[in-house]
Amino acid sequence: MRITVDELLQRYAAGERDFSGVNFQEADLSGVNLSGANLSQANLLAANLSGANLRGANLSYAELSLAKFIGTNLEGASVTDADAVCARFENANLKGSYLSDFGRSHGAYFQNTIVGNGDILVEESIEG
């Protein structure tokens, strides 16, 4: 399912939270508030989610490869089996979300990112 960013924000503002399976490949979602949204199985390939609030969002089985998460709040988000190949996480908050929950994340880059129980990855690339 493909909808525009404007339509997404209107539907979210109206109280809708289920956006499972949406296609936002290469979309600019920087600064959006989608806390608690269901984005499971969404295609966010190469999307810009910098500065977005995805606190408590469901990103299970989502395609996050090549996406930018710079200053993004993902605290408590579900990332179970999400693919984050070559995704970029800088100054992001993944507290309460565990890297082991990612399905594929080789080449993902983490800089000054809070993960899991509050540990900070100063600079780390996941290989393999």
Side-chain angles (χ1 to χ4, degrees):
M1 170 176 64
R2 185 142 182 114
I3 60 175
T4 66
V5 173
D6 287 339
E7 184 180 352
L8 168 76
L9 297 177
Q10 288 172 353
R11 288 166 62 175
Y12 183 87
E16 186 173 342
R17 295 295 181 267
D18 187 3
F19 302 102
S20 55
V22 294
N23 182 0
F24 281 114
Q25 183 172 333
E26 298 180 358
D28 183 2
L29 296 166
S30 57
V32 300
N33 177 16
L34 295 173
S35 62
N38 179 5
L39 295 165
S40 62
Q41 299 179 344
N43 180 0
L44 296 164
L45 177 72
N48 181 2
L49 293 140
S50 298
N53 181 5
L54 298 171
R55 182 183 180 114
N58 180 358
L59 294 161
S60 298
Y61 302 97
E63 177 56 74
L64 307 177
S65 297
L66 302 172
K68 286 188 222 173
F69 297 92
I70 300 170
T72 305
N73 183 5
L74 290 150
E75 185 170 350
S78 173
V79 292
T80 304
D81 290 318
D83 287 339
V85 175
C86 295
R88 187 168 194 89
F89 297 86
E90 292 181 35
N91 301 312
N93 181 359
L94 280 159
K95 187 174 182 181
S97 301
Y98 294 90
L99 298 180
S100 62
D101 289 343
F102 284 110
R104 295 182 307 137
S105 58
H106 57 275
Y109 176 77
F110 298 85
Q111 182 178 16
N112 298 324
T113 295
I114 301 168
V115 295
N117 62 0
D119 292 338
I120 297 175
L121 295 180
V122 175
E123 186 168 9
E124 184 172 328
S125 291
I126 295 179
E127 303 300 325

